[in-house]
Amino acid sequence: MRSLLLAVAVLWAPAVVAQAPADTLTLAPGDGHLTTDWMASGTQAYTVRLVQPQAMDIGTASETTTVEGGTVTRVLTLSIPMQGMTQTDSLVADAATLMPLTHHSTGGQMEASLEFMAEGVVGMLTPRQGEATTVLLETYDPVFDSAWMGEIAQSLPLVEGAVVRVPAFTNQSPEEAIEAILTVSGQETLGERMAWAVDAQMGPLAVTYLVDPETRELLTTRFSPQPGVRVEIRPAD
């Protein structure tokens, strides 16, 4: 749900600059800090729900995951009727490290065709209105794709107070990688289930991921795109 979350959020989100303590851990694809053996092939449906200022369902999403040959492929489709939008993202990454390989997006505010390499990101971004942008981002080290941020949150060591920096590419900032800040902030109870809350600040977007510590299932994704507005994405009943 990560790239789809961004698709919903950029409709409202103000600019925010993420900051973290100087002694936080900086993640890099393949550095061994992520545990990804929880990922498996399958399909999951989601409900996108406006919680505040009023409670109502505003959209649906589906996510199909295929893990084979050392890679993980996720095809995500989001439908928000009130925005007249149906967006589909196809993401491919290394299954063990979440090192991104490709990202293709159609139907949303920004169409994307991206290829990730050890030394940077190349491709094309085409907004619904306006001219296309050629992406030629050089980096000293590999960066993550921000569309995988939820999976990164699910794969972190779930230790209260842990803070990590995650260098990542985002379509909203193609000239330079952002530094997302992820914080394991504590435990919450959802019905009869306990979850760890992982707070993520990704440029203009602040998100909380609620992760089951046993299965690493993502139970809820929530964010407040502007004061007084809260949106949650949950697995469909």
Side-chain angles (χ1 to χ4, degrees):
M1 296 309 300
R2 277 48 63 184
S3 58
L4 304 184
L5 169 64
L6 290 169
V8 177
V10 295
L11 298 174
W12 295 293
V16 175
V17 177
Q19 296 182 344
D23 60 350
T24 57
L25 173 68
T26 298
L27 294 183
D31 64 8
H33 292 294
L34 299 178
T35 300
T36 61
D37 56 3
W38 55 270
M39 290 192 298
S41 298
T43 300
Q44 177 66 61
Y46 294 88
T47 299
V48 183
R49 185 167 181 79
L50 180 67
V51 178
Q52 292 178 342
Q54 59 181 321
M56 61 182 295
D57 293 345
I58 60 173
T60 59
S62 65
E63 179 177 79
T64 299
T65 302
T66 304
V67 181
E68 64 179 4
T71 65
V72 53
T73 301
R74 284 203 156 161
V75 178
L76 310 102
T77 300
L78 169 73
S79 176
I80 306 291
M82 65 187 297
Q83 297 290 343
M85 183 179 72
T86 298
Q87 176 174 329
T88 299
D89 285 75
S90 179
L91 314 167
V92 183
D94 182 272
T97 66
L98 294 182
M99 169 68 186
L101 300 174
T102 61
H103 182 170
H104 298 279
S105 180
T106 60
Q109 298 294 318
M110 181 84 71
E111 295 197 351
S113 180
L114 302 168
E115 182 178 353
F116 293 78
M117 299 167 289
E119 63 274 14
V121 186
V122 298
M124 189 73 68
L125 297 174
T126 306
R128 183 178 293 183
Q129 296 180 343
E131 297 183 357
T133 298
T134 299
V135 177
L136 293 171
L137 176 62
E138 294 185 16
T139 58
Y140 291 104
D141 298 297
V143 297
F144 290 98
D145 182 350
S146 61
W148 291 97
M149 201 61 64
E151 285 82 0
I152 294 171
Q154 290 169 270
S155 303
L156 289 174
L158 296 176
V159 178
E160 186 169 0
V163 182
V164 298
R165 302 171 186 263
V166 182
F169 176 88
T170 176
N171 293 353
Q172 289 70 43
S173 179
E175 299 86 5
E176 61 180 349
I178 67 167
E179 188 175 70
I181 308 299
L182 274 62
T183 304
V184 183
S185 58
Q187 298 181 355
E188 296 188 21
T189 300
L190 295 175
E192 298 182 352
R193 302 181 71 171
M194 186 274 287
W196 279 96
V198 180
D199 299 325
Q201 185 73 53
M202 296 179 283
L205 180 63
V207 186
T208 296
Y209 302 106
L210 298 181
V211 180
D212 184 303
E214 299 298 328
T215 65
R216 296 298 177 121
E217 178 185 357
L218 187 58
L219 302 178
T220 300
T221 302
R222 66 186 181 212
F223 61 100
S224 296
Q226 64 183 32
V229 177
R230 192 175 79 182
V231 177
E232 291 187 350
I233 304 175
R234 294 188 176 190
D237 295 333

